[in-house]
Amino acid sequence: MSLPPNFLDELRARTPLATLVARKVRLERAGRDQKGCCPFHNEKSPSFYVYDDHYHCFGCGAHGDAISFVMQNEGATFMEAVERLAAEAGLAVPKPTPQAAEAARREADLSDVLEAAGAEYRRLLRTPQGAAALAYLRGRGLSDSIIERFGLGWSGEGRGTLREALARQDITPARLIEAGLMKAGERGPVDYFFARVMFPIRDRRGRIISFGGRLLGDGQPKYLNGPETDLFSKRQTLYGLDIARAAVRNGAALIVVEGYMDVIALHEAGFTGAVAPLGTALTEAHLAELWRISPRPLLCFDGDAAGRRAALRSTELALKALAPDRGLAILRLKEGDDPDSFVRREGAPALAALIAAAPNLAETLYDMLAEGAQRTTPEGRAAFRKRLEAAARSIEDRSLAGEYRASLIDRLYAERRQSFTAGTQARRNGGGRPASPHIVLPRPAIDAETTSARRARLLTAILLCHPTLLPDLEEAFGLLALPDDCARLRDSMAKWFHAAKALDSDDLLNHLTQSGLRDVAEPLLALMPQRAPDNDAAAMAELEASWYGIYGLMNLKHLQVQCEEQRLRFESDPTPENFERHRICVIALKRVERGESDSDAVF
């Protein structure tokens, strides 16, 4: 039975080859691919390599795809292997009907027509009438070898050029219309493309399935893709995929750009893993195809507003399908730049450096969501936070969603802390540095029934007296289960904090008075008879360490997590501020581990 090529392509695409092989062979990572001992002959050293779409044994020469593997490994017939894999992939095997046979014949015919058209376009490019098109391509920095590799051509000046040329091969206008090369006009069929530089569009196997054309001279549209046909769907096709697949397998980065010339210019510069969608935003089908080739494709769209919007749409679409082994990176070019212009102006090493330094997706996502967000008011900041949390929730992998939420919200708090640093630093540097006082908090009674509530009130009292600590401690404070009085104060403090222009204790107390909570705050303030001056960095650092020490007695797990996060942050960005944050957490954790109680806390 003959099966349609597009069905077999889809079956192979939906069958992760490494997963299939791993049921029979113990595989280990070998660069971007995997290897193991060949299941088809006895060997002690692995020589059986599994790539994204085929396997090869360098010992016995066994070679094939997913269907071949099932046939060779299980002794199955072709149809038995197809039916088994199709059932696992959720595909229905086409039945051997006359209609299916006719569809397969028609697809083969269309493929022949498109190949003939591609040959004619290439021929025309090298004739005198194609001189302007060839000069244009060379003027864009393309070598003859790249022009040949991508099969670029010229459509001819006037309508009817292709029809006349292919008529000599007995290719009728009806077949050209079906292939998307002609269309019905008022006076009969006319060429779909004319006066255009031609770009063959190929499927993942390298077959021409359509064309795109760029107009030389004035007129619109500047770029034109062929219409949808039985072979061609824009939403499922990536330009340059057939070349990029092999390049990525050999170590090239998979780079997604916006158009034909971006792809070809990057290949000319040595970035042979470049691909592009065809006049449409990235789709789920595109992303699935990209992840079959690389676990972390990189999007590099134009630096204009449209390119930024396309990058954000693509990111939001990709989020739900992210997984620990399936990510994405975004390379954001400056306004006015595109990959083609950048690499021609700055050179390949400059682009390679940008690719190597591309930030992780969480950082880029935060920057993209922050653009245009109104964050100068409490309402705006709350809306921005909700947008960050919604983006993280859209990731279906729950563990990864939690990591993204932590990363996004952590950066939000870090920015909030940083926004107060300049103001508080100015006050701290405004006068002489007084000696750090030795402030001793009253010792709470050791009573099992009241200890937890006492600690909660003590932590709340510290923040009431020293709200300059809120940028660093608000997140941890928000995780505690508090007595009712402290919980009410915390809610009111949070509203004040996100609207405050300066973190001043007197201003906070005025806010609590206006909120009817001054009487609730007074008993807690009495727990702090002495206060450290906010402009004494050493005293405030010790105060924060003691706060965390008490906090750790109530929520040790969070303190341990916080300590580890600060360690990693300092290792990746060894600034004095990050060192100090890590030092404070370590001091607090050691106090808890030594068994010091909150009554031993000294400020």
Side-chain angles (χ1 to χ4, degrees):
M1 170 185 173
S2 177
L3 294 172
N6 60 346
F7 165 77
L8 294 176
D9 286 346
E10 181 67 14
L11 178 61
R12 294 182 183 104
R14 288 201 192 185
T15 304
L17 185 56
T19 303
L20 176 67
V21 173
R23 298 174 186 172
K24 304 291 183 180
V25 180
R26 186 175 180 276
L27 297 176
E28 59 185 36
R29 182 65 60 182
R32 291 176 178 264
D33 308 308
Q34 298 189 58
K35 66 178 181 179
C37 290
C38 180
F40 306 123
H41 79 286
N42 293 325
E43 63 176 4
K44 296 181 179 179
S45 299
S47 61
F48 184 82
Y49 281 74
V50 180
Y51 307 99
D52 68 304
D53 61 351
H54 73 281
Y55 59 85
H56 183 81
C57 177
F58 291 91
C60 69
H63 183 93
D65 58 14
I67 299 172
S68 304
F69 184 81
V70 174
M71 292 173 65
Q72 294 179 38
N73 190 260
E74 300 180 9
T77 65
F78 175 80
M79 281 307 301
E80 287 171 343
V82 167
E83 289 171 354
R84 204 197 98 186
L85 294 176
E88 293 182 0
L91 292 174
V93 179
K95 297 189 179 299
T97 62
Q99 293 82 359
E102 173 60 22
R105 185 205 62 76
R106 188 169 60 250
E107 286 190 8
D109 182 63
L110 292 182
S111 183
D112 290 341
V113 170
L114 291 164
E115 290 292 345
E120 178 62 17
Y121 291 146
R122 293 194 299 273
R123 186 191 70 80
L124 288 172
L125 182 66
R126 303 293 175 170
T127 65
Q129 65 171 301
L134 186 58
Y136 164 78
L137 293 172
R138 288 172 173 167
R140 294 290 296 263
L142 303 186
S143 64
D144 284 351
S145 62
I146 282 289
I147 291 172
E148 292 174 5
R149 183 186 306 173
F150 281 87
L152 306 186
W154 172 244
S155 67
E157 288 288 349
R159 296 185 186 273
T161 301
L162 182 66
R163 177 178 57 185
E164 293 175 4
L166 297 190
R168 293 190 288 271
Q169 301 181 39
D170 295 326
I171 297 177
T172 64
R175 293 168 69 193
L176 292 173
I177 291 175
E178 192 173 7
L181 297 169
M182 295 191 75
K183 59 183 178 180
E186 293 180 358
R187 300 181 180 180
V190 295
D191 288 358
Y192 195 83
F193 300 99
F194 65 96
R196 291 179 182 271
V197 177
M198 298 302 293
F199 301 82
I201 300 169
R202 303 179 186 273
D203 64 11
R204 67 197 318 266
R205 292 193 294 163
R207 299 180 307 165
I208 297 178
I209 55 176
S210 188
F211 289 90
R214 187 197 189 281
L215 189 65
L216 287 187
D218 298 330
Q220 291 295 330
K222 183 67 71 176
Y223 284 94
L224 179 66
N225 291 315
E228 300 273 317
T229 68
D230 289 342
L231 290 182
F232 176 56
S233 169
K234 287 189 292 186
R235 294 182 60 81
Q236 299 187 46
T237 304
L238 290 165
Y239 181 72
L241 182 67
D242 56 312
I243 301 175
R245 285 171 65 238
V248 172
R249 199 160 51 234
N250 291 325
L254 181 58
I255 308 171
V256 185
V257 292
E258 286 195 42
Y260 307 113
M261 288 306 302
D262 288 323
V263 170
I264 298 171
L266 291 191
H267 278 256
E268 180 72 75
F271 300 94
T272 51
V275 299
L278 294 160
T280 183
L282 281 180
T283 65
E284 291 181 352
H286 289 148
L287 288 168
E289 190 69 69
L290 292 169
W291 279 321
R292 290 187 189 109
I293 303 171
S294 170
R296 189 174 181 263
L298 182 144
L299 307 189
C300 182
F301 292 161
D302 295 355
D304 57 12
R308 292 194 297 273
R309 288 194 299 270
L312 180 56
R313 286 196 303 270
S314 299
T315 301
E316 291 176 336
L317 178 65
L319 281 176
K320 66 178 182 179
L322 292 183
D325 60 346
R326 194 167 57 233
L328 197 69
I330 311 289
L331 180 56
R332 309 180 80 201
L333 298 178
K334 293 182 180 178
E335 179 76 37
D337 259 335
D338 57 51
D340 179 15
S341 65
F342 181 88
V343 78
R344 284 194 288 149
R345 185 184 71 248
E346 303 293 338
L351 182 60
L354 288 181
I355 292 172
N360 65 59
L361 184 59
E363 293 181 28
T364 310
L365 176 62
Y366 186 98
D367 290 336
M368 291 191 294
L369 294 177
E371 289 181 355
Q374 204 288 87
R375 294 186 287 162
T376 59
T377 65
E379 295 82 3
R381 287 191 290 272
F384 178 57
R385 174 169 179 157
K386 284 187 176 181
R387 194 175 182 191
L388 294 177
E389 292 176 335
R393 283 196 304 272
S394 69
I395 301 173
E396 294 182 355
D397 185 291
R398 291 298 88 196
S399 62
L400 187 60
E403 291 294 331
Y404 263 75
R405 183 190 181 281
S407 180
L408 295 170
I409 299 303
D410 184 65
R411 181 167 169 187
L412 179 67
Y413 279 112
E415 285 190 356
R416 184 65 178 170
R417 289 192 294 267
Q418 190 175 19
S419 69
F420 286 105
T421 298
T424 56
Q425 192 65 42
R427 293 195 297 275
R428 291 174 183 175
N429 296 336
R433 177 171 173 165
S436 300
H438 190 73
I439 302 176
V440 181
L441 293 176
R443 295 176 179 269
I446 302 176
D447 185 336
E449 295 183 1
T450 61
T451 295
S452 180
R454 183 77 173 186
R455 286 170 178 162
R457 293 187 174 99
L458 191 54
L459 294 179
T460 307
I462 294 171
L463 295 178
L464 287 172
C465 294
H466 299 282
T468 53
L469 295 175
L470 276 171
D472 289 339
L473 302 179
E474 184 199 18
E475 182 177 11
F477 190 45
L479 295 174
L480 286 176
L482 298 177
D484 180 66
D485 56 344
C486 295
R488 291 164 61 199
L489 289 170
R490 178 175 61 188
D491 291 344
S492 186
M493 289 166 68
K495 293 178 182 178
W496 170 83
F497 168 61
H498 290 291
K501 296 181 179 179
L503 300 182
D504 179 77
S505 181
D506 290 338
D507 187 62
L508 171 57
L509 293 179
N510 287 336
H511 167 77
L512 294 175
T513 300
Q514 295 170 7
S515 302
L517 294 173
R518 183 62 179 258
D519 290 343
V520 179
E522 287 294 348
L524 276 65
L525 293 172
L527 298 174
M528 294 285 293
Q530 295 175 285
R531 303 183 187 182
D534 286 348
N535 64 354
D536 189 324
M540 295 304 292
E542 177 66 16
L543 183 65
E544 186 173 346
S546 290
W547 192 95
Y548 262 126
I550 299 171
Y551 180 87
L553 296 170
M554 302 178 67
N555 194 338
L556 177 59
K557 182 178 180 180
H558 180 79
L559 178 58
Q560 291 170 330
V561 170
Q562 184 76 358
C563 194
E564 178 63 12
E565 287 181 353
Q566 293 298 338
R567 180 185 69 80
L568 294 174
R569 187 172 292 110
F570 174 67
E571 288 179 355
S572 63
D573 185 17
T575 63
E577 293 78 12
N578 284 340
F579 171 78
E580 182 64 10
R581 297 285 303 131
H582 181 226
R583 186 187 73 85
I584 287 171
C585 288
V586 169
I587 291 173
L589 184 59
K590 287 186 178 299
R591 286 176 177 169
V592 176
E593 290 173 344
R594 286 197 302 266
E596 295 182 14
S597 71
D598 44 313
S599 61
D600 297 320
V602 177
F603 302 86

